[in-house]
């Protein structure tokens, strides 16, 4: 490359090139510049210089013509900006001159004209932070702001935000600014720049203005941006933004979207308003399906649905009365009704000799594991090969299997029948009834728990679960009481039932009640009043905690009491503060544990970065051996960060560091936290392709060696080898500390829950061979195998639904209880409280899309299912899915999948195709022949 003749030589030596170039004086330089210009540009430059001179002419007529011409030149060049427009470039040397002349002018229209021009010139010329563009705009004429081009309007919006902050701090008036804001917002909304309009209104704290500016063409894009932005805003701004989105959706009668926002805000008044605002019965049925999926307990009244018969039909949908029917329709369609035995899951024949030999030994522990595997795999199918048998065999096989378990194992075995008959209340209660006549208390306890599991998520007017379980709550035998209490907790989660509250708070206040009965009462109360901030329940649990003796506070089960307290405030943020203050007065043994649990639960699913940092701070401390509070802090990081994808990625990275530097009690909790972050989502982040895409190296043609070098550099920065959660858990499942290994194995089951993921299934098979001599670890491997094949691959444990927008509180509560129990594997899961695993029933949901017609009968239509694409802030109508395949409904949706109708014959009544979606015929559809 030839050296630049104009560049000054840095060293003192004079090389040949610099000798040849003669010195130039500034005048010649300018001439050279002018010579570079084309004839047109030169003419324009001279023309503009002439205008500048004329503007300073004493004759107002000449001034006006010059200003008009200059204005015209600038306007035509700034309408679309890709580079600095020529008029602005040529006027740059004269900016100071025009500014000085402006100051000398008397007040007149011409002065305002000049102010407008200076405002546009300031776009490229004013110094940083001077806000001259805005200053001259406010001094100028009231003309159309958009005529100067989009870039000018964007620049003004930025300056307004700075000026607004300054005026607020100086307490100066802002009326002139707000008028300008009105103009800018109107311009942005007309020109597909809704995100910029929203950002400006957020800056000037006047988002209410948005409602009057949206119209039927842009309200969807506007609301999509509002709901997405809400995740990254601090409180209470996030709620305010969602309120505005709710009002906009209501204004345009987009009721299903409004309902989702109402549920996100947990505002039942809004839900009522939606039912009363909408007159279409079919749409109301769709609302009921959305409410049922969210697991919210909601009673319809005359105002919401006037006709009694209609109201019964709608209430039945909310109460999930026919949920089992729909699930079995899906199973028949996908042809997985055939019951599976635990052996079909273990696939021992694929392993070498030693493990398969060990598996045939008929030990009670192995049978207990098989009970759980059988329950998870056949969940909701109503038939299996161990517990349900053909009627001709009377009580043969199921009774035999039941008594292949010992003591507390019988409780889990009897309860597993409830899991197999999940959601099928009528048939289920009839089948489980036989166990109530048993003489063995463990069997009765299991039957009671089974009744609770059958009724999980299903509400019934005659309250069969309460009628059956109520009498057993105060029996003598602790296991029978636990069965009844846990059954009530699962059956009535989220219902805030006062009758059960008075029953269970009495147990908490009973000094003679055993510790485990009290612990399960606290958990069940937390479930029934999840996220309600109920003070009476909170007080009962607090008093129960204060009454515990020093020795009892050291027991693993005592830690269920703070968890029950935390569930009352699940996702309720600041509402927990009063209770958190009271917890500071607790005994030292439990105080920090209670603090961390309350914090984790209160901010669960909020994505609050400050709380994640706070929890990380607690995890960074190196403490004595006996400290237990860091476990909930680690789980808390996952509970808070699981709100959005970016938070999940960041949390996974942070947990990696905790693994490397944390104490043993932290390492035991990290696998569980990873399991929660990726629950039912065994994603493998391919960072190579991410890196290629980020650098734009996935497009041809690219310099191959350079592209590989850049990719490798970026990947090494990302340390991508360790971000794959599945590999991390696989590594930890061979850890020398058996509790870390057990937690990692269970978490492998959680991330693969209901996916039938072949890679995880293979890992677990190999682990069953590796740990064939270790009963406890083998038990955990079996549980994980059952989870991976949950519902034969039809169920998910993911508490998020509706395109990851809504978090079901009861689902999250069920998962959190199970994870907290896993913090002490030896005492609880592989001890005698293994039935805690049944709390997962609360989170089990079919991962399906079932389309139904106007009479709620299944209707098969073609749909495209593909990877969801984030289209926030994109103009036009971008594609929302990529890499799709076309199937006929009902279909299964994996994590991150999105579906859309592949026919125009029907119109879906829900914007998000998930769960049950009602289709109505499109009146404008014409068959093409």
């Amino acid at each position: 490359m030839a050296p630049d003749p104009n560049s000054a030589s840095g060293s003192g030596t004079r090389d040949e090139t610099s000798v040849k170039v003669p010195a130039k004086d500034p005048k010649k330089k300018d001439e050279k510049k002018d010579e570079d210009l084309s004839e047109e540009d030169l003419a324009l430059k001279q023309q503009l210089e002439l205008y500048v001179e004329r503007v300073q002419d004493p004759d107002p007529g000449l001034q006006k013509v010059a200003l008009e011409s200059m204005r015209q030149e600038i306007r035509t060049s700034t309408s679309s900006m890709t580079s600095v427009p020529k008029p602005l470039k040529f006027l740059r040397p004269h900016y100071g001159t025009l500014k000085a002349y402006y100051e000398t002018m008397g007040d007149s229209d011409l002065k305002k004209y000049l102010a407008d021009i200076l405002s546009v010139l300031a776009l490229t010329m004013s110094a940083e932070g001077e806000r001259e563009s805005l200053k001259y705009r406010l001094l100028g004429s009231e003309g159309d702001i958009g005529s100067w081009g989009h870039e000018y309007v964007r620049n003004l919006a930025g300056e307004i935000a700075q000026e607004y902050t300054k005026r607020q701090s100086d307490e100066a008036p802002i009326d002139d600014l707000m008028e300008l804001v009105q103009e800018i917002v109107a311009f942005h909304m007309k020109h597909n720049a809704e995100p910029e309009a929203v950002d400006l209104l957020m800056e000037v704290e006047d988002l209410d203005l948005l409602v009057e500016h949206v119209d039927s063409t842009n309200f969807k894009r506007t609301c999509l941006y509002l709901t997405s932005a809400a995740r990254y805003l601090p409180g209470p701004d996030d709620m305010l933004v969602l309120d505005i989105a709710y009002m906009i959706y209501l204004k345009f009668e987009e009721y299903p979207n409004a309902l989702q926002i109402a549920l996100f805000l947990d505002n039942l008044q809004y839900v009522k308003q939606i039912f009363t605002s909408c007159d279409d019965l079919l749409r109301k049925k769709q609302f009921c399906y959305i409410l049922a999926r969210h697991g919210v307990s909601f009673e319809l009244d005359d105002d919401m649905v006037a006709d009694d018969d209609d109201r019964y039909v709608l209430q039945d949908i909310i109460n999930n009365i026919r949920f089992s029917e729909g699930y079995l329709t899906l199973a028949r369609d996908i042809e997985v009704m055939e019951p599976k035995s635990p052996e079909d899951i273990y696939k021992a024949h694929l392993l070498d000799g030693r493990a398969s030999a060990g598996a045939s030994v008929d030990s009670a522990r192995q049978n207990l594991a098989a009970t759980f595997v059988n329950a998870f795999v056949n969940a909701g199918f109503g038939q299996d090969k161990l517990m349900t048998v053909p009627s001709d065999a009377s009580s043969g096989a199921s009774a035999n299997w039941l008594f292949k378990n010992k003591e507390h194992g019988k409780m889990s075995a009897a309860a597993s029948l409830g899991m197999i008959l999940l959601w099928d209340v009528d048939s289920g209660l009839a089948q489980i009834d036989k166990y109530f006549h048993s003489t063995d208390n463990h069997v009765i306890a299991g039957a009671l728990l089974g009744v609770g599991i059958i009724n999980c998520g299903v509400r019934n007017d005659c309250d069969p679960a309460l009628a059956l379980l109520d009498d057993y709550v105060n029996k003598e035998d602790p296991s029978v009481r636990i069965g009844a209490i846990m059954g009530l907790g699962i059956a009535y989660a989220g219902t805030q039932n006062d009758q059960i509250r008075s029953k269970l708070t009495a147990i908490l206040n009973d000094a003679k009640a055993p510790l485990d009965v009290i612990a399960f009462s606290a958990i069940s109360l937390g479930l029934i009043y999840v996220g309600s901030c109920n003070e009476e329940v909170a007080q009962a649990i607090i008093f129960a905690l204060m009454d515990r003796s020093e020795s009892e506070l050291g027991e693993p089960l005592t830690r269920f009491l703070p968890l029950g307290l935390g569930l009352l405030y699940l996702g309720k943020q600041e509402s927990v503060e009063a209770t958190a203050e009271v917890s500071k007065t607790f005994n030292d043994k439990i105080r920090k544990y209670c603090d961390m649990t309350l914090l984790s639960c209160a901010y669960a699913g909020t994505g609050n970065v400050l709380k994640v940092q706070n929890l990380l701070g607690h995890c960074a401390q190196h403490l004595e051996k006996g400290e237990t509070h860091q476990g909930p802090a680690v789980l808390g990081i996952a509970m808070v960060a699981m709100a959005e994808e970016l938070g999940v990625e960041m949390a996974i990275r942070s947990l990696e560091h905790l693994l490397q530097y944390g104490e043993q009690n932290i390492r035991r909790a990290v696998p569980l936290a990873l399991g929660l972050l990726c629950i039912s989502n065994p994603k493998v982040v391919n960072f190579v392709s991410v890196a290629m895409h980020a650098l734009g190296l996935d497009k041809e043609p690219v310099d191959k060696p350079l592209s590989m070098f850049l990719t490798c550099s970026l990947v090494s920065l990302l340390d991508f080898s360790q971000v794959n959660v599945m590999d991390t858990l696989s590594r930890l499942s061979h850890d020398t500390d058996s509790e870390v290994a057990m937690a990692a194995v269970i978490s492998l089951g959680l991330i693969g829950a209901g996916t039938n993921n072949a890679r995880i299934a293979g890992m677990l098979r190999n682990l069953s061979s590796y740990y064939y001599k270790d009963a406890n670890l083998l038990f955990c491997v079996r549980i994980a195998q059952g989870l991976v094949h949950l519902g034969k691959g039809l169920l998910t444990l993911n508490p998020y639904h509706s395109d990851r927008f809504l978090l079901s509180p009861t689902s999250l509560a069920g998962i959190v209880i199970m994870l907290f129990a896993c913090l002490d594997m030896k005492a609880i899961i592989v001890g005698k409280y293994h039935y805690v695993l049944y709390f997962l029933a609360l989170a089990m949901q079919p991962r399906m899309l079932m389309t139904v017609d106007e009479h709620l009968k299944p209707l098969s239509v073609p749909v495209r299912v593909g990877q969801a694409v984030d289209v926030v802030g994109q103009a036009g109508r971008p594609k929302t899915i990529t890499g799709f395949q076309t199937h006929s409904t009902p279909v299964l949706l994996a994590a991150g999948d999105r579906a859309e109708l592949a026919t125009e014959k029907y119109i879906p009544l829900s914007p998000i195709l998930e769960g049950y979606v009602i289709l109505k015929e499109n009146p404008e559809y014409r068959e093409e022949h």
Side-chain angles (χ1 to χ4, degrees):
M1 208 174 123
D4 178 6
N6 297 340
S7 67
S9 176
S11 62
T13 59
R14 290 157 53 97
D15 58 11
E16 289 173 64
T17 41
S18 57
V19 173
K20 286 175 190 170
V21 178
K24 292 182 177 176
D25 58 306
K27 231 180 203 171
K28 282 186 178 171
K29 229 182 204 176
D30 284 352
E31 282 166 24
K32 178 85 174 77
K33 222 186 223 170
D34 286 355
E35 281 165 25
D36 289 348
L37 298 175
S38 66
E39 283 181 24
E40 280 175 33
D41 289 354
L42 200 56
L44 176 64
K45 184 169 188 278
Q46 287 162 356
Q47 190 74 38
L48 288 166
E49 283 169 353
L50 181 64
Y51 293 151
V52 173
E53 280 172 34
R54 291 275 165 85
V55 166
Q56 297 167 53
D57 198 285
D59 178 1
L62 270 179
Q63 277 187 345
K64 188 166 187 184
V65 173
L67 282 171
E68 272 301 331
S69 312
M70 197 187 290
R71 191 185 186 118
Q72 203 52 43
E73 288 288 358
I74 294 173
R75 270 196 178 164
T76 49
S77 68
T78 54
S79 55
S80 73
M81 266 202 194
T82 46
S83 59
V84 178
K86 294 221 167 85
L88 293 189
K89 211 171 178 178
F90 298 147
L91 285 170
R92 176 167 277 197
H94 308 289
Y95 178 56
T97 318
L98 290 172
K99 255 169 64 175
Y101 182 70
Y102 173 83
E103 299 301 334
T104 63
M105 286 173 82
D107 283 347
S108 65
D109 284 351
L110 288 179
K111 184 168 185 177
K112 288 185 173 177
Y113 264 22
L114 182 55
D116 287 351
I117 289 172
L118 283 171
S119 176
V120 181
L121 293 180
L123 181 63
T124 57
M125 294 170 208
S126 80
E128 186 74 29
E130 289 288 311
R131 297 194 287 284
E132 286 184 342
S133 189
L134 175 61
K135 173 184 147 185
Y136 288 116
R137 174 74 218 175
L138 294 172
L139 293 167
S141 60
E142 305 284 306
D144 172 21
I145 197 166
S147 59
W148 296 104
H150 194 255
E151 197 61 40
Y152 171 67
V153 179
R154 284 178 66 175
N155 181 60
L156 262 189
E159 293 192 3
I160 286 174
Q162 295 169 5
E163 181 68 19
Y164 178 83
T165 315
K166 184 174 185 299
R167 289 198 192 179
Q168 285 292 78
S169 60
D170 299 347
E171 297 184 4
I174 52 167
D175 302 346
D176 54 343
L177 281 184
M178 295 319 286
E179 283 173 29
L180 198 50
V181 167
Q182 283 270 24
E183 284 183 56
I184 293 177
V185 169
F187 174 81
H188 278 325
M189 294 305 280
K190 276 198 201 87
H191 293 84
N192 292 338
E194 299 88 359
E196 291 174 32
V198 172
D199 289 345
L200 175 60
L201 288 173
M202 281 188 200
E203 291 284 359
V204 298
E205 299 170 12
D206 196 2
L207 209 51
D208 298 346
L209 274 180
L210 196 61
V211 182
E212 59 201 64
H213 285 288
V214 285
D215 58 36
S216 56
T217 59
N218 60 25
F219 81 93
K220 284 187 177 168
R221 283 200 302 271
T222 307
C223 288
L224 181 62
Y225 183 70
L226 285 171
T227 49
S228 305
R231 294 184 186 285
Y232 299 101
L233 291 172
D237 294 358
D238 52 348
M239 296 305 157
L240 177 79
V241 166
L242 289 170
D243 263 337
I244 301 288
Y246 169 80
M247 280 151 61
I248 294 172
Y249 276 137
L250 220 51
K251 178 180 170 183
F252 291 96
E253 298 186 356
E254 196 72 25
Y255 296 121
N257 292 87
L259 178 61
Q260 281 166 351
I261 291 177
L263 290 174
F264 187 92
L265 294 168
D266 197 16
N267 188 329
L268 292 185
Q269 282 309 113
Y270 279 0
V271 177
K272 283 178 185 162
Q273 188 183 358
I274 290 163
F275 270 97
T276 47
S277 308
C278 177
D279 301 325
D280 183 351
L281 183 68
L282 209 54
R283 294 178 84 176
K284 287 185 179 178
K285 287 180 181 173
Q286 184 64 60
F287 304 160
C288 292
Y289 278 128
I290 294 171
L291 287 169
R293 171 64 183 93
H294 194 56
V296 68
S297 183
F298 189 72
E299 290 292 326
L300 297 170
D301 59 28
D302 303 355
D303 297 338
M304 296 184 238
V305 188
D307 184 85
D308 284 356
D309 293 341
D310 289 341
R311 192 163 61 253
Y312 288 134
V313 171
L314 266 66
Q315 192 65 57
D316 278 357
I317 296 174
I318 294 178
N319 293 348
N320 274 326
I321 297 294
R322 303 180 65 181
F323 194 67
S324 173
E325 212 175 291
Y327 177 59
L328 293 173
T329 306
L330 170 75
R332 285 188 202 98
D333 192 272
I334 295 176
E335 299 178 354
V336 289
M337 280 304 290
E338 182 67 33
K340 285 198 166 178
S341 68
E343 282 67 38
D344 299 336
I345 303 302
Y346 300 161
K347 294 193 168 75
H349 61 278
L350 297 177
L351 295 167
D352 50 4
R354 63 177 181 168
S356 40
S360 58
V361 179
D362 189 22
S363 76
R365 174 50 63 92
Q366 292 287 50
N367 290 348
L368 180 60
T371 298
F372 280 111
V373 172
N374 184 56
F376 287 147
V377 172
N378 297 298
F381 284 91
Q383 52 182 13
D384 71 322
K385 292 183 177 176
L386 300 183
M387 298 300 296
T388 56
V389 283
S391 52
D392 58 1
S394 66
S395 63
S398 76
N400 286 349
W401 180 257
L402 191 63
F403 292 103
K404 282 185 176 175
N405 291 282
K406 284 185 187 157
E407 297 172 5
H408 45 79
K410 287 183 214 159
M411 181 168 166
S412 283
S416 73
L417 184 58
M419 184 69 92
I420 291 155
L421 298 160
L422 192 61
W423 306 313
D424 185 1
V425 177
D426 299 339
S427 158
L429 294 179
Q431 290 194 51
I432 210 161
D433 181 62
K434 58 179 179 274
Y435 294 141
F436 282 104
H437 309 300
S438 170
T439 51
D440 190 323
N441 280 334
H442 288 295
V443 175
I444 295 171
L448 292 164
L449 175 52
V451 168
I453 294 170
I454 289 171
N455 285 279
C456 174
V458 181
R459 317 268 178 269
N460 204 309
D461 289 341
C462 57
D463 276 345
L466 185 56
L468 281 164
L469 303 179
D470 194 33
D471 298 340
Y472 291 90
V473 169
N474 293 320
K475 289 280 191 225
E476 283 290 304
D477 187 78
S479 58
V480 170
R481 294 178 76 178
I482 289 173
I485 290 164
M486 193 170 154
L488 285 171
I490 291 174
Y492 291 94
T495 57
Q496 302 185 28
N497 185 309
D498 286 337
Q499 196 181 339
I500 304 174
R501 188 194 73 209
S502 50
K503 200 98 182 154
L504 296 185
T505 45
I507 296 175
L508 288 178
N509 299 331
D510 179 4
K512 296 194 183 85
L515 178 63
D516 50 2
V517 175
I518 288 175
F520 279 98
S521 299
I523 287 290
S524 286
L525 278 169
L527 272 177
I528 294 164
Y529 284 87
V530 66
S532 69
C533 307
N534 186 295
E535 285 185 20
E536 291 171 42
V537 178
Q539 279 182 347
I541 297 176
I542 287 169
F543 288 141
L545 257 170
M546 288 175 164
D547 292 344
R548 303 278 66 82
S549 67
E550 188 81 21
S551 60
E552 282 180 320
L553 289 173
E555 291 289 319
L557 279 177
T558 310
R559 295 176 209 147
F560 274 178
L561 288 161
L563 178 57
L565 195 55
L567 292 177
L568 296 176
Y569 299 96
L570 194 71
K572 286 288 170 278
Q573 308 194 34
E574 292 84 17
S575 308
V576 79
E577 284 170 6
T579 308
E581 281 304 312
V582 176
S583 77
K584 291 189 167 61
T585 63
F586 291 169
N587 185 305
D588 283 355
K589 268 193 172 177
I590 200 83
R591 189 176 67 226
K592 282 186 174 174
Y593 189 94
C594 195
D595 261 357
M596 292 299 101
T597 307
L598 287 173
L599 180 67
S600 304
C601 289
Y603 287 89
T606 60
N608 187 315
V609 183
L610 296 175
K611 297 302 169 208
V612 174
Q613 288 174 349
N614 182 346
L615 291 163
L616 275 168
H618 285 284
C619 297
Q621 297 163 6
H622 297 282
L623 303 166
E624 309 292 312
K625 276 276 185 285
E627 289 286 352
T628 55
H629 71 272
Q630 289 178 319
V634 175
L635 285 180
I637 293 169
M639 285 159 70
V640 178
M642 68 193 290
E644 33 82 38
E645 298 289 336
L646 195 65
V648 170
E649 293 295 341
M650 299 289 282
I652 291 172
R653 300 289 308 275
S654 302
L655 290 169
E656 275 294 340
H657 295 307
L658 289 182
L659 265 184
Q660 289 165 357
Y661 306 113
E663 299 293 323
Q664 210 55 23
N665 52 0
I666 289 178
R667 295 187 74 242
R668 287 171 182 175
V670 167
L672 300 169
L674 290 171
L676 176 60
L677 286 169
C678 302
I679 196 157
S680 288
N681 181 14
K683 58 179 180 178
V684 178
V685 184
N686 184 354
F687 270 117
V688 175
S689 63
V690 171
M692 296 283 279
H693 182 72
L695 291 168
L697 304 176
D698 50 350
K699 302 175 182 66
E700 292 293 331
V702 173
D703 176 9
K704 269 282 169 48
L706 172 69
S707 92
M708 285 315 295
F709 168 72
L710 287 172
T711 307
C712 293
S713 311
L714 189 55
V715 167
S716 64
L717 281 174
L718 285 165
D719 189 15
F720 91 103
S721 60
Q722 295 189 339
V723 180
N724 182 349
V725 174
M726 202 189 297
D727 291 343
T728 303
L729 291 175
S730 175
R731 193 177 76 237
L732 291 174
S733 64
H734 295 82
D735 200 88
T736 47
D737 181 341
S738 66
E739 293 228 10
V740 176
M742 284 193 272
V745 170
I746 293 279
S747 290
L748 274 172
L750 288 176
I751 66 168
T755 62
N756 285 346
N757 185 290
R759 188 165 168 224
I760 295 180
M763 281 179 188
L764 292 169
R765 259 200 314 279
N766 293 335
L767 283 168
S768 71
S769 141
Y770 184 74
Y771 286 126
Y772 79 109
K773 280 185 176 166
D774 186 326
N776 287 347
L777 267 151
L778 186 57
F779 177 74
C780 291
V781 172
R782 297 303 188 210
I783 300 293
Q785 285 178 305
L787 285 172
V788 169
H789 298 281
L790 190 67
K792 298 175 200 161
L794 304 192
L795 295 174
T796 178
L797 291 181
N798 195 339
Y800 278 96
H801 61 99
S802 301
D803 255 350
R804 252 192 87 84
F805 179 61
L806 289 175
L807 172 67
S808 166
T810 46
S811 299
L812 180 62
I815 298 162
V816 165
I817 294 168
M818 182 264 187
L819 290 173
F820 270 76
C822 289
L823 286 173
D824 202 324
M825 293 295 265
K826 286 190 171 137
I828 299 175
I829 302 291
V830 297
K832 63 175 195 177
Y833 300 104
H834 34 75
Y835 39 81
V836 169
L837 291 167
Y838 287 125
F839 277 119
L840 286 176
L842 289 161
M844 289 180 193
Q845 287 287 342
R847 55 189 188 97
M848 65 174 182
L849 162 61
M850 171 85 72
T851 46
V852 294
D853 62 14
E854 299 178 18
H855 306 291
L856 309 186
K857 296 278 179 283
L859 173 68
S860 187
V861 294
V863 288
R864 289 188 281 267
V865 179
Q867 194 66 29
V869 176
D870 187 8
V871 294
V872 180
Q874 292 185 20
R877 295 209 303 234
K879 296 273 187 287
T880 54
I881 58 173
T882 178
F884 60 82
Q885 292 181 327
T886 307
H887 301 282
S888 290
T889 57
V891 293
L892 292 181
L893 300 173
D897 277 358
R898 187 180 285 162
E900 54 184 43
L901 279 190
T903 170
E904 288 175 11
K905 187 175 179 184
Y906 297 98
I907 299 170
L909 294 187
S910 166
I912 294 171
L913 299 192
E914 260 179 50
Y916 287 93
V917 176
I918 301 173
L919 303 179
K920 70 174 182 189
E921 292 202 3
N922 183 353
E924 294 168 15
Y925 178 74
R926 298 281 172 272
E927 284 283 358
E928 289 178 15
H929 296 294

